[in-house]
Amino acid sequence: MSGIELEPSKIRTISLRGLAVRFAFGAVISVAAGLVGHYFGALAGGVFLAFPAILPATLTLIQEKEEQRAPAAQDAKGATLGAVGMIVFAVCVWAAMTGLPAWLALTIATAAWALTALLVYRVTTPR
């Protein structure tokens, strides 16, 4: 993989079935995170929100479409990097929210998420 590519025209190729499956998985995982937060507290629920809600559906659809595991494995790696970044985001919000305005805490947390995901990507991707 030489770099990150963005092809907005590919959005038109996503099937309605694929969108419905992603939506359903996302909804189920969001409800699960809400229930965990309700019964075990906001801290536990927040950790579950770091799980990419559509990952199971996405990996299944990619593997079905490509008929091989490599593209799904690559997508799983990207989701893992994003999840690590989201955990850093959650910790930053938790730490900063009590002493800073919300907009500043969220800005700092977003920057920390992006930097963490990029750093982990650079460390784990062979050159």
Side-chain angles (χ1 to χ4, degrees):
M1 181 175 174
S2 62
I4 299 171
E5 295 179 20
L6 182 64
E7 297 180 47
S9 63
K10 296 244 178 181
I11 291 174
R12 292 186 194 115
T13 65
I14 299 173
S15 70
L16 287 177
R17 178 188 175 273
L19 289 174
V21 169
R22 287 181 178 102
F23 179 81
F25 269 101
V28 167
I29 290 173
S30 296
V31 167
L35 290 172
V36 168
H38 179 74
Y39 289 105
F40 300 103
L43 185 59
V47 171
F48 275 81
L49 289 177
F51 183 88
I54 63 168
L55 180 63
T58 301
L59 296 179
T60 301
L61 292 171
I62 288 172
Q63 187 170 344
E64 283 178 7
K65 183 176 180 182
E66 301 293 332
E67 297 179 2
Q68 54 184 319
R69 291 179 183 230
Q74 186 178 18
D75 205 54
K77 179 182 177 184
T80 302
L81 300 180
V84 170
M86 284 303 294
I87 291 168
V88 171
F89 176 90
V91 169
C92 287
V93 169
W94 177 74
M97 219 37 135
T98 58
L100 296 175
W103 69 269
L104 183 56
L106 292 172
T107 301
I108 291 168
T110 301
W113 164 79
L115 291 173
T116 300
L118 287 171
L119 178 64
V120 175
Y121 172 78
R122 294 297 269 166
V123 168
T124 61
T125 303
R127 293 187 173 89

